[in-house]
Amino acid sequence: MAVKTAWKMGHAQGHVLPVERTQTLEILPGRNAAELAPLLTTDETAEYLHVSARTVKNLLAGGRLAYIKIGRATRIHRQDIERYVARNRRKQRNGLR
């Protein structure tokens, strides 16, 4: 499946106006672009881990989850999230479900 997105840029009276350009992204069947993105925002990371954005920010501030700063934006690499989950995985004890 292909997804087409269009951007437009141009000038008229000092304003930016749309100009046509199309890019095609190939997406794996059953996956959307957000699922394939290697860098996630704090909100996307929170959604992925099923926790609040505040919890993610606490993990970042405490150095428990690695992150990347791009300008003022904070991004978390999907592999770093997977490493965090693997480090914090607990074995099931008898009697617990």
Side-chain angles (χ1 to χ4, degrees), residues 2 21 24 34 44 48 52 55 65 74 80 82-83 90:
R21 182 180 134 205
T24 302
E44 291 168 336
Y48 180 75
S52 70
T55 297
L65 181 58
T74 300
D80 292 324
E82 297 303 327
R83 282 188 207 110
R90 304 288 189 254

Side-chain angles (χ1 to χ4, degrees), residues 74-90:
T74 300
R75 296 292 181 261
I76 300 102
H77 199 282
R78 191 174 291 279
Q79 288 179 343
D80 292 324
I81 298 168
E82 297 303 327
R83 282 188 207 110
Y84 172 79
V85 169
R87 279 193 317 265
N88 290 283
R89 185 163 297 183
R90 304 288 189 254

Side-chain angles (χ1 to χ4, degrees), residues 30-44:
R31 302 279 181 134
N32 63 35
E35 290 176 319
L36 300 175
L39 295 177
L40 304 176
T41 65
T42 53
D43 288 338
E44 291 168 336

Side-chain angles (χ1 to χ4, degrees), residues 9-19:
M9 301 292 285
H11 297 283
Q13 299 177 353
H15 297 282
V16 177
L17 296 176
V19 173

Side-chain angles (χ1 to χ4, degrees), residues 62-75:
R64 296 182 305 247
L65 181 58
Y67 64 95
I68 302 164
K69 289 296 281 188
I70 303 172
R72 292 171 47 185
T74 300
R75 296 292 181 261

